[in-house]
Amino acid sequence: YPFLRDGIIQKLEHQTKHPGVMFIAGLFPGMFGYWVSTPLWQIKTRLQAETGLILDGKYTTGACKGQKPTMNGLFDGLSRVYQQEGFFALYRGALPLMLRGGMMSSGQFLGYDFTKTNAKSYGLLRDGPLLHILASCTAAFLSTTFAAPFDIVLTRMQAAPALGIKYSGPIHCVQSMVF
């Protein structure tokens, strides 16, 4: 993060750290990391969506009551989704996941870096445990707040197949919640 943030500051010829630069420096690495992990999130979310008590090979509780489990763990899930739905199905929900990850990283880095930078520059706190705790709490708050809307869309899109719901994309998912 500091390498990317400081590189952007130099490119823009800023003299000090700017909140927008802090935000951007957290956004793109977060988006990339979450894009890479999309297939894993896809399977995790599907497994969670159909969770319930299994007796005699069928769910007796939960959203999929009366149905057989569709997958047996991570590797089976990756294989089944790839074979039955194709490669791109593994990336269903990638856009909201990437936005969620980018916003989460942005909130985290912006909250921490901005709080530390400004508290020290205005003489409110010196570098030490209290400043780190305050910066960490700010980072957690911003990270969660920035990511929450995208997290809801992501979870709905990735759980949809296990619940028998079809969305044409993130916008359709949002519209189904709002209207």
Side-chain angles (χ1 to χ4, degrees), residues 31-48 71 73-82 85-95 97-98 154 158-159:
M31 289 178 74
F32 178 75
Y34 278 80
W35 175 77
V36 169
S37 69
T38 299
L40 304 176
W41 273 84
Q42 175 72 244
I43 302 307
K44 173 205 65 94
T45 304
R46 287 188 186 200
L47 287 168
Q48 288 176 326
M71 56 187 81
L74 176 65
F75 295 111
D76 180 56
L78 289 168
S79 174
R80 284 179 190 255
V81 170
Y82 177 75
E85 301 174 47
F87 175 77
F88 292 108
L90 290 169
Y91 283 87
R92 181 179 290 116
L95 181 60
L97 180 61
M98 289 169 56
L154 159 76
Q158 290 187 336

Side-chain angles (χ1 to χ4, degrees), residues 1 5 17 22 109-118:
Y1 165 79
R5 179 201 61 210
K17 295 181 194 176
M22 294 174 191
F109 289 120
L110 172 63
Y112 192 84
D113 200 1
F114 184 80
T115 301
K116 274 190 69 180
T117 300
N118 285 300

Side-chain angles (χ1 to χ4, degrees), residues 122-135:
Y122 289 115
L124 300 173
L125 290 170
R126 288 181 295 163
D127 203 355
L130 184 59
L131 178 56
H132 289 276
I133 290 169
L134 177 63

